[in-house]
Amino acid sequence: MTAKSRAPRAWRAVEHRWQSWPPAVRQTSRIMILVALLALGTLIVYVTGGTRYAYPYLMLIPVLLAGAWYTWRGSLLVALMAGLLMAAMPLTVASGEAQATLNWVIRLCLYLAIGAFAGVLFERLRQSHLNLERAARTDPRAGLPNEIALEADLSRWLKAPPRLDGRSTGVILVRIEDISEIVEALGADACDDLVLAIDRRLARLGPNLLGCYRVSGAELALLLWPVGLDELNRIAARVVELGEDNLVALGVPLRAQLVLGSALHKSPDDTPGGLVREARIAMLAATEKQRSYCHFQPAFARRGVQNVKLIAQVRRSLAKGEFELHYQPKLRLADGEVTGFEGLIRWRDAQGNLIPPGMFMPKVENTTLIAPVTRFVATEACRFAMRQEKRVSINFSVRNLMDDALLEELGEHVRQSGMEPSRLEVEITESALVHDLFAAKRALERIRSCGIRVSIDDFGTGFSSFEYLRHLPLTGLKIDRAFVEGLEHDRRARKLMACLIDVGHALDLEVTAEGVETQEQHRLLQEMGCDQAQGFLYAKALPAEEVLAWQRERERSSLGSSHSASADSRHK
């Protein structure tokens, strides 16, 4: 660190320490400094021989300093005192010669003029600084305090002495989830007007609310003191209720979908940024859990760190070959024959342990990393398809459907491999279609134009509109495991399953049921006319070599059973 960079840092440290003193102490210190400078200047003028020489101008130092501290009022007062002190000083100390009246009057007027000018100048500078600081602490569109103001106020309240009842400072972060729809429909001004309407509603929360701050376009922060956890939860519940009421923005009644996260000051080491971060983590956890509100828990932060580290490792792990595809068989229910496999990605870490897909795929699907991951899945699935004669299905996300380059690569890869395109199937979740039905339809048509089959995955848990089923170029649908559970015990579940199977058949789609775990579920689905099934009853997802060995063993068992049955019939 150079001397040039050390000087500003040292000055900021001194200034910060000065500002940390109590106001009364700072005020007393300033007065004592001005008195000391006036006395020192007077002494120097006297010791150097009187006012005949240039040293009387040293008295301008406390005048200028008073202008900086107290603007023109302070500088004029100190200038008057300095002028009178110099008026009492002899022209020459050695001879005792007195000053002419005109001499000290002119000097006094000069001190007053310089003091007035300096005082006004410092006042303008101070006002300009205050305006800049106020602008820096205010959201320019809504006029509410911003994140800088929140951090400053929160820093002050975190230093408050602890209360005997244990209550402390709390922060609630409020996000308007559907803000993008409002901006798209009514414009950015409607967003600002909505934020102000919410701010007016929040004013009803009572004396615990110290301030409402706009920390981003769609987020507000509430600073509360004093509050405990129960109070914080009650206030959050009231905020959610306020969002349920109609809010008027630009004269249009609106309903805002609010998601909240909160954090409470507990440790002396808490910082403003740390407390806001905890509230944001809790808010994101509420969004992930599809709740309106969550209070911060340390487990949220630990899970977040783990997710970030895992996502950071994905691309490197792809290059190192740590990802692999496991395959779960699909069986034709009419005769039990294996008709295909679903390729499911697995991540094996350096220790050889499998990382569950649920820990990384939901995050990967929301990033650009989904493209290289899907390329890997498609490549491995095509290789596996070339090793055996059955169909292989892979999963596509929303981002995959909207990635024209990936769709082009998929078709080109199938053509270069020489495999029959219909032996590859792409499974799309209903949520991917709802995202943009028109764009999804075009993407599916491109996939079908290559001869690749397309199936709806997790059918019945998403959009489930017969309208989109009728218009999309589909070849199959897979009924979600939620409809398979309880088939043996619930008559209504069986009726619903039969209805879903009939819907698929009415549209000439191949119907697959996933999550089959019992023989009774298998029998019921067979009686209902379901085409295919997959689940732990038959086999879990296995590595390529293991699933091929499983298939050969099943075929041998099936062949042995058929030979035995044929021999029994001849014997009869």
Side-chain angles (χ1 to χ4, degrees), residues 154-193:
L154 191 52
S155 178
R156 187 171 66 254
W157 283 101
L158 289 180
K159 295 175 183 176
R163 293 172 55 93
L164 296 177
D165 57 9
R167 294 190 297 171
S168 60
T169 306
V171 174
I172 296 179
L173 210 59
V174 183
R175 172 182 285 175
I176 308 170
E177 283 288 276
D178 46 2
I179 196 72
S180 57
E181 299 173 11
I182 296 170
V183 172
E184 183 178 350
L186 300 174
D189 290 342
C191 171
D192 301 329
D193 211 23

mmCIF file of all heavy atoms in Angstrom, residues 154-193:
data_model
loop_
_atom_site.group_PDB
_atom_site.id
_atom_site.type_symbol
_atom_site.label_atom_id
_atom_site.label_comp_id
_atom_site.label_asym_id
_atom_site.label_seq_id
_atom_site.Cartn_x
_atom_site.Cartn_y
_atom_site.Cartn_z
ATOM 1 N N LEU A 154 -30.074 0.547 9.843
ATOM 2 C CA LEU A 154 -29.928 -0.753 10.501
ATOM 3 C C LEU A 154 -28.643 -0.806 11.318
ATOM 4 O O LEU A 154 -28.617 -1.359 12.428
ATOM 5 C CB LEU A 154 -29.936 -1.849 9.435
ATOM 6 C CG LEU A 154 -30.048 -3.308 9.905
ATOM 7 C CD1 LEU A 154 -31.237 -3.479 10.839
ATOM 8 C CD2 LEU A 154 -30.173 -4.229 8.704
ATOM 9 N N SER A 155 -27.584 -0.202 10.796
ATOM 10 C CA SER A 155 -26.322 -0.158 11.536
ATOM 11 C C SER A 155 -26.500 0.579 12.858
ATOM 12 O O SER A 155 -25.954 0.170 13.891
ATOM 13 C CB SER A 155 -25.251 0.522 10.678
ATOM 14 O OG SER A 155 -24.041 0.621 11.374
ATOM 15 N N ARG A 156 -27.271 1.644 12.834
ATOM 16 C CA ARG A 156 -27.498 2.410 14.061
ATOM 17 C C ARG A 156 -28.321 1.610 15.075
ATOM 18 O O ARG A 156 -28.007 1.603 16.268
ATOM 19 C CB ARG A 156 -28.217 3.721 13.715
ATOM 20 C CG ARG A 156 -28.353 4.667 14.903
ATOM 21 C CD ARG A 156 -28.864 6.016 14.487
ATOM 22 N NE ARG A 156 -30.226 5.966 13.974
ATOM 23 C CZ ARG A 156 -30.542 6.085 12.687
ATOM 24 N NH1 ARG A 156 -29.591 6.246 11.777
ATOM 25 N NH2 ARG A 156 -31.807 6.043 12.292
ATOM 26 N N TRP A 157 -29.353 0.907 14.606
ATOM 27 C CA TRP A 157 -30.214 0.179 15.525
ATOM 28 C C TRP A 157 -29.549 -1.098 16.057
ATOM 29 O O TRP A 157 -29.877 -1.554 17.146
ATOM 30 C CB TRP A 157 -31.544 -0.167 14.854
ATOM 31 C CG TRP A 157 -32.446 1.021 14.791
ATOM 32 C CD1 TRP A 157 -32.692 1.828 13.726
ATOM 33 C CD2 TRP A 157 -33.196 1.564 15.881
ATOM 34 N NE1 TRP A 157 -33.555 2.839 14.064
ATOM 35 C CE2 TRP A 157 -33.891 2.698 15.385
ATOM 36 C CE3 TRP A 157 -33.367 1.209 17.211
ATOM 37 C CZ2 TRP A 157 -34.719 3.455 16.175
ATOM 38 C CZ3 TRP A 157 -34.210 1.961 17.997
ATOM 39 C CH2 TRP A 157 -34.876 3.073 17.483
ATOM 40 N N LEU A 158 -28.632 -1.658 15.285
ATOM 41 C CA LEU A 158 -27.914 -2.840 15.775
ATOM 42 C C LEU A 158 -26.993 -2.499 16.936
ATOM 43 O O LEU A 158 -26.605 -3.381 17.712
ATOM 44 C CB LEU A 158 -27.100 -3.481 14.635
ATOM 45 C CG LEU A 158 -27.901 -4.197 13.541
ATOM 46 C CD1 LEU A 158 -26.966 -4.774 12.490
ATOM 47 C CD2 LEU A 158 -28.778 -5.296 14.138
ATOM 48 N N LYS A 159 -26.617 -1.219 17.047
ATOM 49 C CA LYS A 159 -25.758 -0.783 18.140
ATOM 50 C C LYS A 159 -26.548 -0.417 19.393
ATOM 51 O O LYS A 159 -25.950 -0.087 20.428
ATOM 52 C CB LYS A 159 -24.932 0.426 17.702
ATOM 53 C CG LYS A 159 -23.933 0.120 16.584
ATOM 54 C CD LYS A 159 -23.245 1.374 16.111
ATOM 55 C CE LYS A 159 -22.298 1.096 14.954
ATOM 56 N NZ LYS A 159 -21.692 2.335 14.419
ATOM 57 N N ALA A 160 -27.878 -0.474 19.287
ATOM 58 C CA ALA A 160 -28.703 -0.133 20.460
ATOM 59 C C ALA A 160 -28.457 -1.142 21.586
ATOM 60 O O ALA A 160 -28.241 -2.326 21.334
ATOM 61 C CB ALA A 160 -30.179 -0.140 20.064
ATOM 62 N N PRO A 161 -28.446 -0.681 22.831
ATOM 63 C CA PRO A 161 -28.211 -1.616 23.960
ATOM 64 C C PRO A 161 -29.300 -2.669 24.020
ATOM 65 O O PRO A 161 -30.465 -2.403 23.705
ATOM 66 C CB PRO A 161 -28.247 -0.690 25.183
ATOM 67 C CG PRO A 161 -28.961 0.542 24.737
ATOM 68 C CD PRO A 161 -28.676 0.702 23.286
ATOM 69 N N PRO A 162 -28.952 -3.894 24.406
ATOM 70 C CA PRO A 162 -29.944 -4.980 24.455
ATOM 71 C C PRO A 162 -31.043 -4.685 25.470
ATOM 72 O O PRO A 162 -30.800 -4.087 26.517
ATOM 73 C CB PRO A 162 -29.112 -6.200 24.856
ATOM 74 C CG PRO A 162 -27.870 -5.649 25.484
ATOM 75 C CD PRO A 162 -27.614 -4.344 24.812
ATOM 76 N N ARG A 163 -32.252 -5.112 25.149
ATOM 77 C CA ARG A 163 -33.401 -4.904 26.021
ATOM 78 C C ARG A 163 -33.528 -6.058 27.014
ATOM 79 O O ARG A 163 -33.123 -7.191 26.745
ATOM 80 C CB ARG A 163 -34.677 -4.801 25.188
ATOM 81 C CG ARG A 163 -34.747 -3.567 24.322
ATOM 82 C CD ARG A 163 -35.948 -3.644 23.393
ATOM 83 N NE ARG A 163 -37.187 -3.849 24.115
ATOM 84 C CZ ARG A 163 -38.004 -2.880 24.524
ATOM 85 N NH1 ARG A 163 -37.673 -1.623 24.281
ATOM 86 N NH2 ARG A 163 -39.128 -3.156 25.154
ATOM 87 N N LEU A 164 -34.125 -5.761 28.157
ATOM 88 C CA LEU A 164 -34.309 -6.786 29.181
ATOM 89 C C LEU A 164 -35.305 -7.850 28.750
ATOM 90 O O LEU A 164 -35.225 -9.003 29.177
ATOM 91 C CB LEU A 164 -34.781 -6.125 30.490
ATOM 92 C CG LEU A 164 -33.786 -5.157 31.150
ATOM 93 C CD1 LEU A 164 -34.406 -4.526 32.384
ATOM 94 C CD2 LEU A 164 -32.493 -5.893 31.512
ATOM 95 N N ASP A 165 -36.292 -7.476 27.891
ATOM 96 C CA ASP A 165 -37.315 -8.447 27.466
ATOM 97 C C ASP A 165 -36.842 -9.334 26.309
ATOM 98 O O ASP A 165 -37.584 -10.189 25.822
ATOM 99 C CB ASP A 165 -38.611 -7.736 27.068
ATOM 100 C CG ASP A 165 -38.400 -6.710 25.952
ATOM 101 O OD1 ASP A 165 -37.297 -6.675 25.375
ATOM 102 O OD2 ASP A 165 -39.341 -5.959 25.664
ATOM 103 N N GLY A 166 -35.590 -9.124 25.835
ATOM 104 C CA GLY A 166 -35.035 -9.983 24.795
ATOM 105 C C GLY A 166 -35.411 -9.594 23.389
ATOM 106 O O GLY A 166 -34.919 -10.194 22.421
ATOM 107 N N ARG A 167 -36.296 -8.613 23.240
ATOM 108 C CA ARG A 167 -36.678 -8.194 21.878
ATOM 109 C C ARG A 167 -35.554 -7.369 21.253
ATOM 110 O O ARG A 167 -34.802 -6.692 21.952
ATOM 111 C CB ARG A 167 -37.975 -7.397 21.916
ATOM 112 C CG ARG A 167 -39.165 -8.223 22.361
ATOM 113 C CD ARG A 167 -40.467 -7.485 22.159
ATOM 114 N NE ARG A 167 -40.548 -6.276 22.963
ATOM 115 C CZ ARG A 167 -41.514 -5.365 22.837
ATOM 116 N NH1 ARG A 167 -42.452 -5.530 21.924
ATOM 117 N NH2 ARG A 167 -41.525 -4.297 23.601
ATOM 118 N N SER A 168 -35.473 -7.430 19.913
ATOM 119 C CA SER A 168 -34.376 -6.751 19.235
ATOM 120 C C SER A 168 -34.835 -6.233 17.883
ATOM 121 O O SER A 168 -36.035 -6.063 17.649
ATOM 122 C CB SER A 168 -33.180 -7.700 19.073
ATOM 123 O OG SER A 168 -33.555 -8.831 18.311
ATOM 124 N N THR A 169 -33.887 -6.018 16.983
ATOM 125 C CA THR A 169 -34.175 -5.475 15.661
ATOM 126 C C THR A 169 -34.497 -6.608 14.683
ATOM 127 O O THR A 169 -33.832 -7.640 14.668
ATOM 128 C CB THR A 169 -32.965 -4.687 15.135
ATOM 129 O OG1 THR A 169 -32.603 -3.702 16.107
ATOM 130 C CG2 THR A 169 -33.287 -4.008 13.815
ATOM 131 N N GLY A 170 -35.526 -6.402 13.885
ATOM 132 C CA GLY A 170 -35.916 -7.398 12.881
ATOM 133 C C GLY A 170 -36.022 -6.775 11.505
ATOM 134 O O GLY A 170 -36.255 -5.572 11.361
ATOM 135 N N VAL A 171 -35.832 -7.604 10.484
ATOM 136 C CA VAL A 171 -35.954 -7.174 9.089
ATOM 137 C C VAL A 171 -36.890 -8.133 8.364
ATOM 138 O O VAL A 171 -36.757 -9.355 8.500
ATOM 139 C CB VAL A 171 -34.587 -7.156 8.380
ATOM 140 C CG1 VAL A 171 -34.753 -6.857 6.892
ATOM 141 C CG2 VAL A 171 -33.667 -6.124 9.006
ATOM 142 N N ILE A 172 -37.832 -7.592 7.626
ATOM 143 C CA ILE A 172 -38.701 -8.389 6.759
ATOM 144 C C ILE A 172 -38.488 -7.919 5.323
ATOM 145 O O ILE A 172 -38.607 -6.725 5.038
ATOM 146 C CB ILE A 172 -40.186 -8.260 7.135
ATOM 147 C CG1 ILE A 172 -40.432 -8.826 8.532
ATOM 148 C CG2 ILE A 172 -41.062 -8.989 6.117
ATOM 149 C CD1 ILE A 172 -41.880 -8.704 8.991
ATOM 150 N N LEU A 173 -38.153 -8.830 4.449
ATOM 151 C CA LEU A 173 -37.980 -8.524 3.033
ATOM 152 C C LEU A 173 -39.242 -8.970 2.300
ATOM 153 O O LEU A 173 -39.699 -10.112 2.477
ATOM 154 C CB LEU A 173 -36.752 -9.242 2.484
ATOM 155 C CG LEU A 173 -36.005 -8.557 1.332
ATOM 156 C CD1 LEU A 173 -35.529 -7.175 1.765
ATOM 157 C CD2 LEU A 173 -34.818 -9.395 0.897
ATOM 158 N N VAL A 174 -39.804 -8.084 1.507
ATOM 159 C CA VAL A 174 -41.061 -8.337 0.800
ATOM 160 C C VAL A 174 -40.806 -8.255 -0.701
ATOM 161 O O VAL A 174 -40.299 -7.235 -1.189
ATOM 162 C CB VAL A 174 -42.150 -7.307 1.196
ATOM 163 C CG1 VAL A 174 -43.465 -7.631 0.513
ATOM 164 C CG2 VAL A 174 -42.317 -7.260 2.705
ATOM 165 N N ARG A 175 -41.136 -9.311 -1.416
ATOM 166 C CA ARG A 175 -40.988 -9.302 -2.878
ATOM 167 C C ARG A 175 -42.361 -9.405 -3.535
ATOM 168 O O ARG A 175 -43.200 -10.206 -3.130
ATOM 169 C CB ARG A 175 -40.123 -10.465 -3.347
ATOM 170 C CG ARG A 175 -40.094 -10.612 -4.882
ATOM 171 C CD ARG A 175 -39.283 -11.785 -5.336
ATOM 172 N NE ARG A 175 -37.865 -11.514 -5.217
ATOM 173 C CZ ARG A 175 -36.923 -12.421 -5.454
ATOM 174 N NH1 ARG A 175 -37.259 -13.651 -5.794
ATOM 175 N NH2 ARG A 175 -35.654 -12.100 -5.345
ATOM 176 N N ILE A 176 -42.566 -8.579 -4.577
ATOM 177 C CA ILE A 176 -43.787 -8.664 -5.391
ATOM 178 C C ILE A 176 -43.506 -9.677 -6.493
ATOM 179 O O ILE A 176 -42.782 -9.391 -7.447
ATOM 180 C CB ILE A 176 -44.158 -7.285 -5.976
ATOM 181 C CG1 ILE A 176 -44.215 -6.231 -4.866
ATOM 182 C CG2 ILE A 176 -45.488 -7.354 -6.709
ATOM 183 C CD1 ILE A 176 -44.342 -4.813 -5.383
ATOM 184 N N GLU A 177 -44.055 -10.888 -6.364
ATOM 185 C CA GLU A 177 -43.718 -11.984 -7.259
ATOM 186 C C GLU A 177 -44.169 -11.735 -8.692
ATOM 187 O O GLU A 177 -43.490 -12.100 -9.640
ATOM 188 C CB GLU A 177 -44.346 -13.287 -6.759
ATOM 189 C CG GLU A 177 -43.607 -13.913 -5.590
ATOM 190 C CD GLU A 177 -42.281 -14.522 -6.015
ATOM 191 O OE1 GLU A 177 -42.265 -15.659 -6.480
ATOM 192 O OE2 GLU A 177 -41.254 -13.825 -5.879
ATOM 193 N N ASP A 178 -45.342 -11.131 -8.862
ATOM 194 C CA ASP A 178 -45.890 -10.961 -10.203
ATOM 195 C C ASP A 178 -45.614 -9.568 -10.771
ATOM 196 O O ASP A 178 -46.372 -9.059 -11.584
ATOM 197 C CB ASP A 178 -47.397 -11.233 -10.205
ATOM 198 C CG ASP A 178 -48.122 -10.543 -9.049
ATOM 199 O OD1 ASP A 178 -47.453 -9.825 -8.285
ATOM 200 O OD2 ASP A 178 -49.333 -10.732 -8.917
ATOM 201 N N ILE A 179 -44.503 -8.962 -10.364
ATOM 202 C CA ILE A 179 -44.198 -7.600 -10.813
ATOM 203 C C ILE A 179 -43.962 -7.542 -12.317
ATOM 204 O O ILE A 179 -44.305 -6.557 -12.976
ATOM 205 C CB ILE A 179 -42.969 -7.053 -10.040
ATOM 206 C CG1 ILE A 179 -42.865 -5.528 -10.182
ATOM 207 C CG2 ILE A 179 -41.690 -7.719 -10.500
ATOM 208 C CD1 ILE A 179 -43.888 -4.784 -9.434
ATOM 209 N N SER A 180 -43.373 -8.594 -12.893
ATOM 210 C CA SER A 180 -43.076 -8.575 -14.329
ATOM 211 C C SER A 180 -44.357 -8.514 -15.146
ATOM 212 O O SER A 180 -44.414 -7.833 -16.183
ATOM 213 C CB SER A 180 -42.255 -9.804 -14.721
ATOM 214 O OG SER A 180 -42.926 -10.990 -14.372
ATOM 215 N N GLU A 181 -45.404 -9.213 -14.688
ATOM 216 C CA GLU A 181 -46.680 -9.179 -15.409
ATOM 217 C C GLU A 181 -47.294 -7.782 -15.341
ATOM 218 O O GLU A 181 -47.884 -7.298 -16.321
ATOM 219 C CB GLU A 181 -47.635 -10.203 -14.809
ATOM 220 C CG GLU A 181 -47.132 -11.640 -14.900
ATOM 221 C CD GLU A 181 -48.026 -12.603 -14.149
ATOM 222 O OE1 GLU A 181 -49.133 -12.189 -13.753
ATOM 223 O OE2 GLU A 181 -47.624 -13.762 -13.965
ATOM 224 N N ILE A 182 -47.156 -7.134 -14.181
ATOM 225 C CA ILE A 182 -47.714 -5.784 -14.028
ATOM 226 C C ILE A 182 -46.972 -4.799 -14.920
ATOM 227 O O ILE A 182 -47.575 -3.960 -15.580
ATOM 228 C CB ILE A 182 -47.646 -5.356 -12.553
ATOM 229 C CG1 ILE A 182 -48.541 -6.266 -11.700
ATOM 230 C CG2 ILE A 182 -48.044 -3.896 -12.378
ATOM 231 C CD1 ILE A 182 -48.372 -6.095 -10.209
ATOM 232 N N VAL A 183 -45.628 -4.903 -14.946
ATOM 233 C CA VAL A 183 -44.836 -4.020 -15.800
ATOM 234 C C VAL A 183 -45.169 -4.249 -17.266
ATOM 235 O O VAL A 183 -45.306 -3.303 -18.050
ATOM 236 C CB VAL A 183 -43.326 -4.245 -15.548
ATOM 237 C CG1 VAL A 183 -42.495 -3.482 -16.564
ATOM 238 C CG2 VAL A 183 -42.954 -3.821 -14.135
ATOM 239 N N GLU A 184 -45.329 -5.504 -17.654
ATOM 240 C CA GLU A 184 -45.640 -5.824 -19.040
ATOM 241 C C GLU A 184 -47.009 -5.279 -19.451
ATOM 242 O O GLU A 184 -47.194 -4.798 -20.565
ATOM 243 C CB GLU A 184 -45.611 -7.342 -19.221
ATOM 244 C CG GLU A 184 -45.856 -7.797 -20.663
ATOM 245 C CD GLU A 184 -45.781 -9.294 -20.812
ATOM 246 O OE1 GLU A 184 -45.364 -9.983 -19.855
ATOM 247 O OE2 GLU A 184 -46.141 -9.803 -21.893
ATOM 248 N N ALA A 185 -47.960 -5.328 -18.511
ATOM 249 C CA ALA A 185 -49.318 -4.899 -18.838
ATOM 250 C C ALA A 185 -49.501 -3.385 -18.742
ATOM 251 O O ALA A 185 -50.159 -2.778 -19.583
ATOM 252 C CB ALA A 185 -50.313 -5.604 -17.918
ATOM 253 N N LEU A 186 -48.890 -2.763 -17.707
ATOM 254 C CA LEU A 186 -49.176 -1.351 -17.439
ATOM 255 C C LEU A 186 -47.958 -0.443 -17.497
ATOM 256 O O LEU A 186 -48.108 0.777 -17.433
ATOM 257 C CB LEU A 186 -49.821 -1.222 -16.053
ATOM 258 C CG LEU A 186 -51.148 -1.971 -15.847
ATOM 259 C CD1 LEU A 186 -51.582 -1.882 -14.397
ATOM 260 C CD2 LEU A 186 -52.226 -1.427 -16.769
ATOM 261 N N GLY A 187 -46.751 -1.013 -17.572
ATOM 262 C CA GLY A 187 -45.555 -0.194 -17.640
ATOM 263 C C GLY A 187 -44.872 -0.023 -16.290
ATOM 264 O O GLY A 187 -45.413 -0.368 -15.239
ATOM 265 N N ALA A 188 -43.658 0.559 -16.326
ATOM 266 C CA ALA A 188 -42.852 0.714 -15.117
ATOM 267 C C ALA A 188 -43.480 1.689 -14.122
ATOM 268 O O ALA A 188 -43.305 1.546 -12.909
ATOM 269 C CB ALA A 188 -41.449 1.186 -15.484
ATOM 270 N N ASP A 189 -44.222 2.694 -14.624
ATOM 271 C CA ASP A 189 -44.858 3.646 -13.710
ATOM 272 C C ASP A 189 -45.871 2.952 -12.806
ATOM 273 O O ASP A 189 -46.043 3.331 -11.644
ATOM 274 C CB ASP A 189 -45.549 4.752 -14.507
ATOM 275 C CG ASP A 189 -44.553 5.680 -15.180
ATOM 276 O OD1 ASP A 189 -43.380 5.673 -14.757
ATOM 277 O OD2 ASP A 189 -44.933 6.380 -16.133
ATOM 278 N N ALA A 190 -46.552 1.937 -13.344
ATOM 279 C CA ALA A 190 -47.512 1.187 -12.532
ATOM 280 C C ALA A 190 -46.800 0.442 -11.419
ATOM 281 O O ALA A 190 -47.318 0.330 -10.308
ATOM 282 C CB ALA A 190 -48.291 0.211 -13.414
ATOM 283 N N CYS A 191 -45.609 -0.047 -11.717
ATOM 284 C CA CYS A 191 -44.816 -0.738 -10.694
ATOM 285 C C CYS A 191 -44.484 0.216 -9.549
ATOM 286 O O CYS A 191 -44.626 -0.134 -8.373
ATOM 287 C CB CYS A 191 -43.547 -1.294 -11.330
ATOM 288 S SG CYS A 191 -42.357 -1.953 -10.144
ATOM 289 N N ASP A 192 -44.038 1.434 -9.885
ATOM 290 C CA ASP A 192 -43.702 2.424 -8.858
ATOM 291 C C ASP A 192 -44.935 2.813 -8.046
ATOM 292 O O ASP A 192 -44.871 2.952 -6.820
ATOM 293 C CB ASP A 192 -43.097 3.667 -9.507
ATOM 294 C CG ASP A 192 -41.834 3.344 -10.292
ATOM 295 O OD1 ASP A 192 -41.130 2.404 -9.900
ATOM 296 O OD2 ASP A 192 -41.572 4.026 -11.304
ATOM 297 N N ASP A 193 -46.065 2.976 -8.756
ATOM 298 C CA ASP A 193 -47.301 3.343 -8.069
ATOM 299 C C ASP A 193 -47.764 2.221 -7.142
ATOM 300 O O ASP A 193 -48.268 2.470 -6.039
ATOM 301 C CB ASP A 193 -48.386 3.644 -9.111
ATOM 302 C CG ASP A 193 -49.369 4.694 -8.612
ATOM 303 O OD1 ASP A 193 -48.998 5.479 -7.718
ATOM 304 O OD2 ASP A 193 -50.505 4.729 -9.106
#
